[in-house]
Amino acid sequence: MSPSTFQKNILCIGAGYVGGPTMAMIAAKCPQYKITVVDINPDRIAAWQTDHLPIYEPGLLEIVKQARGRNLFFSTEINRHIQEADIIFVSVNTPTKTFGEGAGKTADLQYWEKTARDILKASDSDKIIVEKSTLPVRTAAALERILHSNEKGIHFDIISNPEFLAEGTAVNDLLSPDRVLIGSRETEHGLKARQEIVDIYANWVPRERIITSNIWSSELSKLVANAFLAQRISSINSISALCEKTEASVGEVAYAIGQDSRIGSKFLNASVGFGGSCFKKDILNLVYIAESYGLFEVAEYWEQVVRMNEYQEHRFVRTMIAALFNTVSTKRIALFGFAFKADTGDTREAPAIYITRKLVEERAQVVISDPQAIANAKNDLADILSEVSFQQDPYLAAREAHAIAVLTEWNLYKTLDYRRIFQSMLKPAFIFDGRNILDRELLYKIGFNVYSIGRPPLTHFQD
Ligand SMILES: NC(=O)c1ccc[n+]([C@@H]2O[C@H](COP(=O)([O-])OP(=O)(O)OC[C@H]3O[C@@H](n4cnc5c(N)ncnc54)[C@H](O)[C@@H]3O)[C@@H](O)[C@H]2O)c1
């Protein structure tokens, strides 16, 4: 199909973890549309044009390759592509604000507002603007005000289409989503724009999985979905602390409650805590919104989900230090995993960041191992780089270590030869399984002192 015969010109502003994979999937499934992804970061755009994509995501390269150069293009020419586009998805980052009013809680919308102004300046025809980023509820109202301040007579329809993909499983989540949510104004114009976005997804998503709603419900649903997911993790983590005191096993408790179909079995793995760029920022955003409407009890309720997560990270380090005879000073500690979850190189808000910093404060020699996240880990720890070391090979990382802490549930760590690792470590050797992925009985038999989440430790010491 030649570029002039494409049915629609779709642009995405922001070529990150969401913009890149989402647009690659639309392009792969809809060869009749021309999809262009732009970003202010030229390195990111350059990387999307190679086989070394800027993000690690299983199966993504194959999807990109299906469409790249055919109907999927990456560019830094933002203004030109805004002008040409019929539909613009905006997927720029919306981090937590770090300054001024609402610092530490509300979303920093500076990238969003800049994008809106870029759109306003470069447009000379009507367009549909799709909120793909996660935004505070009622952002569309502000966006409409900015965009309709134009004197060119151009009409913009705002659509909310939050993304529910999870890193590590993005390709499958996009290929076969539980649901796609599309919210709009319920005016004639708004409903027509909504239908245009429905039509894009309907190319491969069954119609009954495409949910439509009013725009505010759609904006709010994304924050609420993340708050509920994180709440499940914090809930089971709170129970893990109780299990460690009572000899109940958190895995058995999670299984028993998860069999109740009203509760369900997913997202009940106790761990060192959740990370990722979204959960904490989106809950705090929800908290801030509730506070700003004077709903303080609502705000407090949700804020506790984040506090519980911090508690779980602190508790993990405290357990390590206590087990290692109350001092980790000069002790070599190997961290298995730095990414916030398996199958991604993303380390944003990873529990490993806090744990590393705390151990370094206690003057431990921390050695970080991870199959995909070492480059990001180096950025996260830029200010203490001279106090930590990096070793991709877990066997070398663990050599002569006093302890190992598993911080990411990479499959690789389940299949290592722990007998060999044990032999190369200093004794007594400790393993702290922050993801409950290892066979603790086997490790104990090998000779390790084993600390899991939500189970009493297995140690070779006599009390
Ligand atoms: N990462 C996830 O798993 C996930 C899942 C669902 C929703 N979200 C939401 O999606 C949004 C994007 O998240 P992400 O993880 O893709 O972020 P990201 O930081 O990986 O990507 C955002 C990109 O936007 C670019 N950008 C910023 N300002 C720009 C501008 N004015 N013009 C052009 N490009 C600009 C940045 O350079 C960056 O490459 C956020 O709101 C996030 O909350 C993320």
PDB file of all heavy atoms in Angstrom, residues 27-52:
ATOM      1  N   ALA A  27      -0.060  -1.115  14.306  1.00  0.00           N
ATOM      2  CA  ALA A  27       0.489  -1.153  12.941  1.00  0.00           C
ATOM      3  C   ALA A  27       0.504  -2.581  12.395  1.00  0.00           C
ATOM      4  O   ALA A  27       0.149  -2.828  11.242  1.00  0.00           O
ATOM      5  CB  ALA A  27       1.895  -0.564  12.932  1.00  0.00           C
ATOM      6  N   ALA A  28       0.890  -3.531  13.265  1.00  0.00           N
ATOM      7  CA  ALA A  28       0.964  -4.920  12.795  1.00  0.00           C
ATOM      8  C   ALA A  28      -0.424  -5.440  12.419  1.00  0.00           C
ATOM      9  O   ALA A  28      -0.582  -6.189  11.461  1.00  0.00           O
ATOM     10  CB  ALA A  28       1.596  -5.802  13.875  1.00  0.00           C
ATOM     11  N   LYS A  29      -1.441  -5.027  13.200  1.00  0.00           N
ATOM     12  CA  LYS A  29      -2.793  -5.548  12.978  1.00  0.00           C
ATOM     13  C   LYS A  29      -3.579  -4.755  11.941  1.00  0.00           C
ATOM     14  O   LYS A  29      -4.605  -5.222  11.452  1.00  0.00           O
ATOM     15  CB  LYS A  29      -3.578  -5.527  14.306  1.00  0.00           C
ATOM     16  CG  LYS A  29      -3.040  -6.520  15.321  1.00  0.00           C
ATOM     17  CD  LYS A  29      -3.349  -7.915  14.853  1.00  0.00           C
ATOM     18  CE  LYS A  29      -2.756  -8.984  15.732  1.00  0.00           C
ATOM     19  NZ  LYS A  29      -2.898 -10.310  15.123  1.00  0.00           N
ATOM     20  N   CYS A  30      -3.132  -3.540  11.629  1.00  0.00           N
ATOM     21  CA  CYS A  30      -3.911  -2.679  10.734  1.00  0.00           C
ATOM     22  C   CYS A  30      -3.013  -2.102   9.645  1.00  0.00           C
ATOM     23  O   CYS A  30      -2.637  -0.918   9.702  1.00  0.00           O
ATOM     24  CB  CYS A  30      -4.551  -1.523  11.505  1.00  0.00           C
ATOM     25  SG  CYS A  30      -5.370  -2.008  13.030  1.00  0.00           S
ATOM     26  N   PRO A  31      -2.668  -2.909   8.632  1.00  0.00           N
ATOM     27  CA  PRO A  31      -1.785  -2.391   7.576  1.00  0.00           C
ATOM     28  C   PRO A  31      -2.419  -1.253   6.779  1.00  0.00           C
ATOM     29  O   PRO A  31      -1.720  -0.538   6.068  1.00  0.00           O
ATOM     30  CB  PRO A  31      -1.539  -3.622   6.685  1.00  0.00           C
ATOM     31  CG  PRO A  31      -2.574  -4.613   7.062  1.00  0.00           C
ATOM     32  CD  PRO A  31      -3.017  -4.317   8.457  1.00  0.00           C
ATOM     33  N   GLN A  32      -3.730  -1.060   6.944  1.00  0.00           N
ATOM     34  CA  GLN A  32      -4.400   0.013   6.198  1.00  0.00           C
ATOM     35  C   GLN A  32      -4.172   1.394   6.812  1.00  0.00           C
ATOM     36  O   GLN A  32      -4.539   2.398   6.229  1.00  0.00           O
ATOM     37  CB  GLN A  32      -5.910  -0.281   6.081  1.00  0.00           C
ATOM     38  CG  GLN A  32      -6.734  -0.197   7.359  1.00  0.00           C
ATOM     39  CD  GLN A  32      -6.722  -1.477   8.212  1.00  0.00           C
ATOM     40  OE1 GLN A  32      -5.749  -2.235   8.219  1.00  0.00           O
ATOM     41  NE2 GLN A  32      -7.797  -1.703   8.946  1.00  0.00           N
ATOM     42  N   TYR A  33      -3.583   1.441   8.030  1.00  0.00           N
ATOM     43  CA  TYR A  33      -3.318   2.745   8.659  1.00  0.00           C
ATOM     44  C   TYR A  33      -1.823   3.028   8.630  1.00  0.00           C
ATOM     45  O   TYR A  33      -1.002   2.116   8.788  1.00  0.00           O
ATOM     46  CB  TYR A  33      -3.724   2.762  10.142  1.00  0.00           C
ATOM     47  CG  TYR A  33      -5.135   2.329  10.453  1.00  0.00           C
ATOM     48  CD1 TYR A  33      -5.415   1.707  11.675  1.00  0.00           C
ATOM     49  CD2 TYR A  33      -6.201   2.563   9.569  1.00  0.00           C
ATOM     50  CE1 TYR A  33      -6.703   1.306  12.003  1.00  0.00           C
ATOM     51  CE2 TYR A  33      -7.488   2.164   9.894  1.00  0.00           C
ATOM     52  CZ  TYR A  33      -7.737   1.529  11.101  1.00  0.00           C
ATOM     53  OH  TYR A  33      -9.004   1.128  11.421  1.00  0.00           O
ATOM     54  N   LYS A  34      -1.491   4.313   8.514  1.00  0.00           N
ATOM     55  CA  LYS A  34      -0.084   4.711   8.659  1.00  0.00           C
ATOM     56  C   LYS A  34       0.126   5.171  10.102  1.00  0.00           C
ATOM     57  O   LYS A  34      -0.585   6.056  10.588  1.00  0.00           O
ATOM     58  CB  LYS A  34       0.234   5.849   7.692  1.00  0.00           C
ATOM     59  CG  LYS A  34       1.680   6.290   7.792  1.00  0.00           C
ATOM     60  CD  LYS A  34       1.974   7.459   6.868  1.00  0.00           C
ATOM     61  CE  LYS A  34       3.408   7.923   7.053  1.00  0.00           C
ATOM     62  NZ  LYS A  34       3.657   9.210   6.419  1.00  0.00           N
ATOM     63  N   ILE A  35       1.079   4.548  10.773  1.00  0.00           N
ATOM     64  CA  ILE A  35       1.329   4.863  12.182  1.00  0.00           C
ATOM     65  C   ILE A  35       2.725   5.477  12.294  1.00  0.00           C
ATOM     66  O   ILE A  35       3.716   4.865  11.876  1.00  0.00           O
ATOM     67  CB  ILE A  35       1.319   3.581  13.052  1.00  0.00           C
ATOM     68  CG1 ILE A  35       0.165   2.639  12.702  1.00  0.00           C
ATOM     69  CG2 ILE A  35       1.380   3.933  14.528  1.00  0.00           C
ATOM     70  CD1 ILE A  35      -1.173   3.037  13.177  1.00  0.00           C
ATOM     71  N   THR A  36       2.784   6.641  12.901  1.00  0.00           N
ATOM     72  CA  THR A  36       4.092   7.260  13.136  1.00  0.00           C
ATOM     73  C   THR A  36       4.235   7.500  14.630  1.00  0.00           C
ATOM     74  O   THR A  36       3.284   7.928  15.289  1.00  0.00           O
ATOM     75  CB  THR A  36       4.201   8.604  12.384  1.00  0.00           C
ATOM     76  OG1 THR A  36       3.836   8.390  11.025  1.00  0.00           O
ATOM     77  CG2 THR A  36       5.611   9.160  12.459  1.00  0.00           C
ATOM     78  N   VAL A  37       5.415   7.202  15.152  1.00  0.00           N
ATOM     79  CA  VAL A  37       5.669   7.428  16.583  1.00  0.00           C
ATOM     80  C   VAL A  37       6.781   8.462  16.687  1.00  0.00           C
ATOM     81  O   VAL A  37       7.850   8.294  16.098  1.00  0.00           O
ATOM     82  CB  VAL A  37       6.090   6.119  17.292  1.00  0.00           C
ATOM     83  CG1 VAL A  37       6.141   6.332  18.799  1.00  0.00           C
ATOM     84  CG2 VAL A  37       5.145   4.984  16.950  1.00  0.00           C
ATOM     85  N   VAL A  38       6.523   9.527  17.422  1.00  0.00           N
ATOM     86  CA  VAL A  38       7.539  10.573  17.576  1.00  0.00           C
ATOM     87  C   VAL A  38       7.924  10.725  19.041  1.00  0.00           C
ATOM     88  O   VAL A  38       7.164  10.357  19.941  1.00  0.00           O
ATOM     89  CB  VAL A  38       7.052  11.943  17.040  1.00  0.00           C
ATOM     90  CG1 VAL A  38       6.875  11.930  15.539  1.00  0.00           C
ATOM     91  CG2 VAL A  38       5.771  12.391  17.731  1.00  0.00           C
ATOM     92  N   ASP A  39       9.102  11.293  19.257  1.00  0.00           N
ATOM     93  CA  ASP A  39       9.575  11.502  20.626  1.00  0.00           C
ATOM     94  C   ASP A  39      10.595  12.644  20.588  1.00  0.00           C
ATOM     95  O   ASP A  39      11.254  12.859  19.564  1.00  0.00           O
ATOM     96  CB  ASP A  39      10.239  10.217  21.153  1.00  0.00           C
ATOM     97  CG  ASP A  39      10.264  10.158  22.670  1.00  0.00           C
ATOM     98  OD1 ASP A  39      11.040  10.934  23.281  1.00  0.00           O
ATOM     99  OD2 ASP A  39       9.503   9.362  23.250  1.00  0.00           O
ATOM    100  N   ILE A  40      10.726  13.329  21.735  1.00  0.00           N
ATOM    101  CA  ILE A  40      11.756  14.382  21.799  1.00  0.00           C
ATOM    102  C   ILE A  40      13.137  13.765  22.016  1.00  0.00           C
ATOM    103  O   ILE A  40      14.135  14.455  21.890  1.00  0.00           O
ATOM    104  CB  ILE A  40      11.511  15.397  22.957  1.00  0.00           C
ATOM    105  CG1 ILE A  40      10.980  14.676  24.197  1.00  0.00           C
ATOM    106  CG2 ILE A  40      10.640  16.547  22.527  1.00  0.00           C
ATOM    107  CD1 ILE A  40      10.890  15.537  25.425  1.00  0.00           C
ATOM    108  N   ASN A  41      13.180  12.499  22.376  1.00  0.00           N
ATOM    109  CA  ASN A  41      14.466  11.859  22.657  1.00  0.00           C
ATOM    110  C   ASN A  41      14.997  11.166  21.383  1.00  0.00           C
ATOM    111  O   ASN A  41      14.512  10.099  21.013  1.00  0.00           O
ATOM    112  CB  ASN A  41      14.244  10.851  23.798  1.00  0.00           C
ATOM    113  CG  ASN A  41      15.518  10.130  24.185  1.00  0.00           C
ATOM    114  OD1 ASN A  41      16.482  10.106  23.419  1.00  0.00           O
ATOM    115  ND2 ASN A  41      15.510   9.544  25.374  1.00  0.00           N
ATOM    116  N   PRO A  42      15.991  11.760  20.732  1.00  0.00           N
ATOM    117  CA  PRO A  42      16.456  11.197  19.456  1.00  0.00           C
ATOM    118  C   PRO A  42      17.092   9.817  19.617  1.00  0.00           C
ATOM    119  O   PRO A  42      17.008   8.983  18.700  1.00  0.00           O
ATOM    120  CB  PRO A  42      17.484  12.216  18.945  1.00  0.00           C
ATOM    121  CG  PRO A  42      17.806  13.096  20.098  1.00  0.00           C
ATOM    122  CD  PRO A  42      16.707  12.986  21.103  1.00  0.00           C
ATOM    123  N   ASP A  43      17.696   9.541  20.786  1.00  0.00           N
ATOM    124  CA  ASP A  43      18.324   8.224  20.983  1.00  0.00           C
ATOM    125  C   ASP A  43      17.260   7.125  20.989  1.00  0.00           C
ATOM    126  O   ASP A  43      17.447   6.038  20.448  1.00  0.00           O
ATOM    127  CB  ASP A  43      19.098   8.162  22.309  1.00  0.00           C
ATOM    128  CG  ASP A  43      20.270   9.136  22.292  1.00  0.00           C
ATOM    129  OD1 ASP A  43      20.721   9.478  21.179  1.00  0.00           O
ATOM    130  OD2 ASP A  43      20.700   9.572  23.381  1.00  0.00           O
ATOM    131  N   ARG A  44      16.139   7.434  21.655  1.00  0.00           N
ATOM    132  CA  ARG A  44      15.037   6.450  21.698  1.00  0.00           C
ATOM    133  C   ARG A  44      14.511   6.173  20.303  1.00  0.00           C
ATOM    134  O   ARG A  44      14.308   5.017  19.921  1.00  0.00           O
ATOM    135  CB  ARG A  44      13.889   6.981  22.563  1.00  0.00           C
ATOM    136  CG  ARG A  44      13.972   6.450  23.961  1.00  0.00           C
ATOM    137  CD  ARG A  44      12.634   6.380  24.637  1.00  0.00           C
ATOM    138  NE  ARG A  44      12.815   5.515  25.812  1.00  0.00           N
ATOM    139  CZ  ARG A  44      11.975   5.443  26.822  1.00  0.00           C
ATOM    140  NH1 ARG A  44      10.893   6.175  26.840  1.00  0.00           N
ATOM    141  NH2 ARG A  44      12.209   4.622  27.823  1.00  0.00           N
ATOM    142  N   ILE A  45      14.318   7.238  19.540  1.00  0.00           N
ATOM    143  CA  ILE A  45      13.790   7.072  18.174  1.00  0.00           C
ATOM    144  C   ILE A  45      14.779   6.266  17.330  1.00  0.00           C
ATOM    145  O   ILE A  45      14.394   5.354  16.592  1.00  0.00           O
ATOM    146  CB  ILE A  45      13.495   8.456  17.550  1.00  0.00           C
ATOM    147  CG1 ILE A  45      12.275   9.075  18.254  1.00  0.00           C
ATOM    148  CG2 ILE A  45      13.253   8.363  16.038  1.00  0.00           C
ATOM    149  CD1 ILE A  45      10.977   8.287  18.136  1.00  0.00           C
ATOM    150  N   ALA A  46      16.063   6.575  17.479  1.00  0.00           N
ATOM    151  CA  ALA A  46      17.078   5.843  16.702  1.00  0.00           C
ATOM    152  C   ALA A  46      17.036   4.363  17.066  1.00  0.00           C
ATOM    153  O   ALA A  46      17.079   3.488  16.194  1.00  0.00           O
ATOM    154  CB  ALA A  46      18.461   6.433  16.966  1.00  0.00           C
ATOM    155  N   ALA A  47      16.910   4.072  18.366  1.00  0.00           N
ATOM    156  CA  ALA A  47      16.918   2.667  18.803  1.00  0.00           C
ATOM    157  C   ALA A  47      15.696   1.901  18.274  1.00  0.00           C
ATOM    158  O   ALA A  47      15.800   0.716  17.937  1.00  0.00           O
ATOM    159  CB  ALA A  47      16.972   2.587  20.322  1.00  0.00           C
ATOM    160  N   TRP A  48      14.542   2.557  18.177  1.00  0.00           N
ATOM    161  CA  TRP A  48      13.345   1.883  17.635  1.00  0.00           C
ATOM    162  C   TRP A  48      13.548   1.472  16.176  1.00  0.00           C
ATOM    163  O   TRP A  48      12.835   0.624  15.651  1.00  0.00           O
ATOM    164  CB  TRP A  48      12.103   2.789  17.728  1.00  0.00           C
ATOM    165  CG  TRP A  48      11.475   2.807  19.086  1.00  0.00           C
ATOM    166  CD1 TRP A  48      11.465   3.840  19.973  1.00  0.00           C
ATOM    167  CD2 TRP A  48      10.747   1.741  19.728  1.00  0.00           C
ATOM    168  NE1 TRP A  48      10.782   3.493  21.126  1.00  0.00           N
ATOM    169  CE2 TRP A  48      10.327   2.219  20.992  1.00  0.00           C
ATOM    170  CE3 TRP A  48      10.398   0.440  19.355  1.00  0.00           C
ATOM    171  CZ2 TRP A  48       9.592   1.430  21.884  1.00  0.00           C
ATOM    172  CZ3 TRP A  48       9.654  -0.343  20.245  1.00  0.00           C
ATOM    173  CH2 TRP A  48       9.268   0.154  21.488  1.00  0.00           C
ATOM    174  N   GLN A  49      14.546   2.107  15.518  1.00  0.00           N
ATOM    175  CA  GLN A  49      14.774   1.770  14.102  1.00  0.00           C
ATOM    176  C   GLN A  49      15.794   0.644  13.928  1.00  0.00           C
ATOM    177  O   GLN A  49      16.124   0.278  12.814  1.00  0.00           O
ATOM    178  CB  GLN A  49      15.212   3.043  13.348  1.00  0.00           C
ATOM    179  CG  GLN A  49      14.004   3.946  13.088  1.00  0.00           C
ATOM    180  CD  GLN A  49      14.350   5.404  12.925  1.00  0.00           C
ATOM    181  OE1 GLN A  49      15.357   5.874  13.434  1.00  0.00           O
ATOM    182  NE2 GLN A  49      13.527   6.134  12.200  1.00  0.00           N
ATOM    183  N   THR A  50      16.293   0.122  15.049  1.00  0.00           N
ATOM    184  CA  THR A  50      17.277  -0.961  14.973  1.00  0.00           C
ATOM    185  C   THR A  50      16.680  -2.250  15.545  1.00  0.00           C
ATOM    186  O   THR A  50      15.517  -2.271  15.974  1.00  0.00           O
ATOM    187  CB  THR A  50      18.523  -0.616  15.823  1.00  0.00           C
ATOM    188  OG1 THR A  50      18.124  -0.656  17.203  1.00  0.00           O
ATOM    189  CG2 THR A  50      19.080   0.751  15.472  1.00  0.00           C
ATOM    190  N   ASP A  51      17.512  -3.290  15.609  1.00  0.00           N
ATOM    191  CA  ASP A  51      17.056  -4.522  16.258  1.00  0.00           C
ATOM    192  C   ASP A  51      17.355  -4.509  17.750  1.00  0.00           C
ATOM    193  O   ASP A  51      17.073  -5.471  18.465  1.00  0.00           O
ATOM    194  CB  ASP A  51      17.703  -5.738  15.584  1.00  0.00           C
ATOM    195  CG  ASP A  51      17.054  -5.994  14.224  1.00  0.00           C
ATOM    196  OD1 ASP A  51      16.067  -5.290  13.897  1.00  0.00           O
ATOM    197  OD2 ASP A  51      17.548  -6.872  13.492  1.00  0.00           O
ATOM    198  N   HIS A  52      17.953  -3.416  18.228  1.00  0.00           N
ATOM    199  CA  HIS A  52      18.176  -3.260  19.677  1.00  0.00           C
ATOM    200  C   HIS A  52      17.192  -2.216  20.171  1.00  0.00           C
ATOM    201  O   HIS A  52      17.530  -1.041  20.321  1.00  0.00           O
ATOM    202  CB  HIS A  52      19.617  -2.851  19.970  1.00  0.00           C
ATOM    203  CG  HIS A  52      20.601  -3.881  19.507  1.00  0.00           C
ATOM    204  ND1 HIS A  52      20.828  -5.050  20.199  1.00  0.00           N
ATOM    205  CD2 HIS A  52      21.360  -3.952  18.390  1.00  0.00           C
ATOM    206  CE1 HIS A  52      21.696  -5.800  19.532  1.00  0.00           C
ATOM    207  NE2 HIS A  52      22.040  -5.148  18.428  1.00  0.00           N
TER     208      HIS A  52
END
